[in-house]
């Protein structure tokens, strides 16, 4: 079945340094989503990428979707302590049930980012 | 309003107890989800309801019983749980469960089974 691999598992940086997490799928994805989960919190949607080669920016965060729609990355410029948390990528996978098609999100294992002030 | 609410926030139960987790959303979403999340792991899908019908059951043990009374509410009934069922239980909703839309997560219920 479809797998979504994410690296690194952990990343510790000094405040002000950059951070990147990478996501790779064994199959082509229709879209990829990124979520952030703060310690003790719940996953919060960050962004969705749909088009091949798409790049989107949110302030210091840059998201990319690969040309083959099998990989993605999240880059944070000049990290801050507020960036601490686990970043998950997730891709939809079709599930055949009862004659119909449904979809579920397959999450990567996540990258835990810690920032030293 | 992009909020998904869950009650209770914390729950401690014995292996013989029966309890229920509740989830509510008022975004007009027609798909709702239950996830289980262990520490330092990604959310693990349990059930999906689409248009109030169970559309995905990820081979979850029968001691977990989902219920969707209407399009805004989702319950998870718990009975005879095991200590290994202790985890964060997350509810989420999305527009219609067709795979392209984003999911909005609630704050979760932290469950401890003794």
């Amino acid at each position: 079945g479809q797998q979504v691999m994410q690296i690194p598992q952990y990343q510790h940086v000094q405040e002000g340094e950059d951070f990147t997490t990478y996501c790779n799928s064994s199959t082509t994805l229709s879209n990829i989503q990124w979520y952030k989960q703060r310690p003790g919190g719940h996953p919060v949607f960050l962004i969705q990428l749909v088009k091949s080669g798409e790049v989107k920016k949110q302030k210091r965060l840059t998201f990319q979707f690969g040309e083959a729609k099998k990989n993605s990355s999240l880059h944070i410029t000049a990290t801050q302590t507020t960036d601490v948390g686990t970043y998950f990528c997730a891709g939809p996978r079709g599930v055949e049930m009862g004659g119909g098609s449904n979809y579920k999100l397959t999450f990567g294992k996540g990258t835990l980012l810690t920032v030293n002030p | 309003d992009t909020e998904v609410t869950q009650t209770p926030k914390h729950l401690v139960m014995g292996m013989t107890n029966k309890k229920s987790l509740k989830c509510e959303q008022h975004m007009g979403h027609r798909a709702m989800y239950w996830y289980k999340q262990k520490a330092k792991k990604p959310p693990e899908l349990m059930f999906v309801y689409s248009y109030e019908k169970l559309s995905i059951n990820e081979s979850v043990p029968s001691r977990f019983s989902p219920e969707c009374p209407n399009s805004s509410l989702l319950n998870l009934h718990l009975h005879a749980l095991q200590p290994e069922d202790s985890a964060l239980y997350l509810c989420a909703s999305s527009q219609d469960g067709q795979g392209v839309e984003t999911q909005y997560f609630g704050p979760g219920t932290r469950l401890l089974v003794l």
Side-chain angles (χ1 to χ4, degrees):
Chain A
Q2 175 190 306
Q3 291 188 348
V4 177
M5 311 297 291
Q6 191 173 352
I7 57 169
Q9 195 172 354
Y10 304 98
Q11 184 78 59
H12 178 74
V13 300
Q14 287 293 126
E15 191 171 21
E17 291 182 339
D18 293 355
F19 159 77
T20 305
T21 173
Y22 301 89
C23 192
N24 286 286
S25 170
S26 55
T27 59
T28 301
L29 299 168
S30 61
N31 71 85
I32 194 156
Q33 301 174 26
W34 286 91
Y35 293 79
K36 176 184 178 182
Q37 185 170 19
R38 287 199 162 98
H42 59 279
V44 174
F45 171 75
L46 292 178
I47 208 157
Q48 181 187 85
L49 304 170
V50 179
K51 298 177 184 175
S52 169
E54 189 169 13
V55 177
K56 285 188 176 180
K57 292 191 176 185
Q58 289 179 350
K59 297 182 180 179
R60 295 177 294 103
L61 277 61
T62 301
F63 304 83
Q64 294 189 342
F65 201 12
E67 294 290 340
K69 300 182 75 172
K70 284 184 155 183
N71 57 75
S72 181
S73 65
L74 157 58
H75 179 82
I76 302 178
T77 304
T79 54
Q80 300 176 359
T81 54
T82 53
D83 295 325
V84 164
T86 301
Y87 293 84
F88 293 102
C89 61
R93 180 164 77 94
V95 177
E96 294 284 338
M97 277 191 70
S101 290
N102 298 285
Y103 294 87
K104 68 175 194 177
L105 278 183
T106 299
F107 283 83
K109 290 190 175 181
T111 297
L112 172 60
L113 171 65
T114 54
V115 179
N116 198 30
Chain B
D1 181 8
T2 57
E3 190 179 56
V4 176
T5 59
Q6 287 187 246
T7 56
K9 290 186 178 180
H10 301 274
L11 179 62
V12 180
M13 62 186 289
M15 290 189 285
T16 58
N17 292 158
K18 284 186 181 181
K19 297 286 184 183
S20 297
L21 309 185
K22 297 185 182 300
C23 175
E24 190 169 5
Q25 58 89 13
H26 292 291
M27 293 179 276
H29 288 169
R30 303 310 299 269
M32 296 186 77
Y33 310 77
W34 280 116
Y35 287 87
K36 174 183 177 180
Q37 187 177 29
K38 291 280 209 179
K40 300 183 181 180
K41 298 289 186 183
E44 180 184 333
L45 183 66
M46 300 174 72
F47 302 103
V48 181
Y49 273 84
S50 182
Y51 292 87
E52 298 161 48
K53 291 185 179 178
L54 183 65
S55 59
I56 297 178
N57 176 344
E58 290 285 86
S59 302
V60 179
S62 60
R63 57 186 184 268
F64 295 91
S65 175
E67 178 195 17
C68 189
N70 60 56
S71 59
S72 300
L73 293 172
L74 186 66
N75 299 322
L76 185 63
H77 302 298
L78 315 173
H79 174 54
L81 294 194
Q82 304 296 310
E84 59 264 29
D85 296 322
S86 299
L88 177 66
Y89 287 84
L90 294 161
C91 173
S93 70
S94 69
Q95 196 160 351
D96 60 13
Q98 289 308 301
V100 181
E101 72 274 14
T102 64
Q103 293 187 13
Y104 295 87
F105 285 84
T109 294
R110 293 195 181 276
L111 174 67
L112 178 61
V113 182
L114 299 176

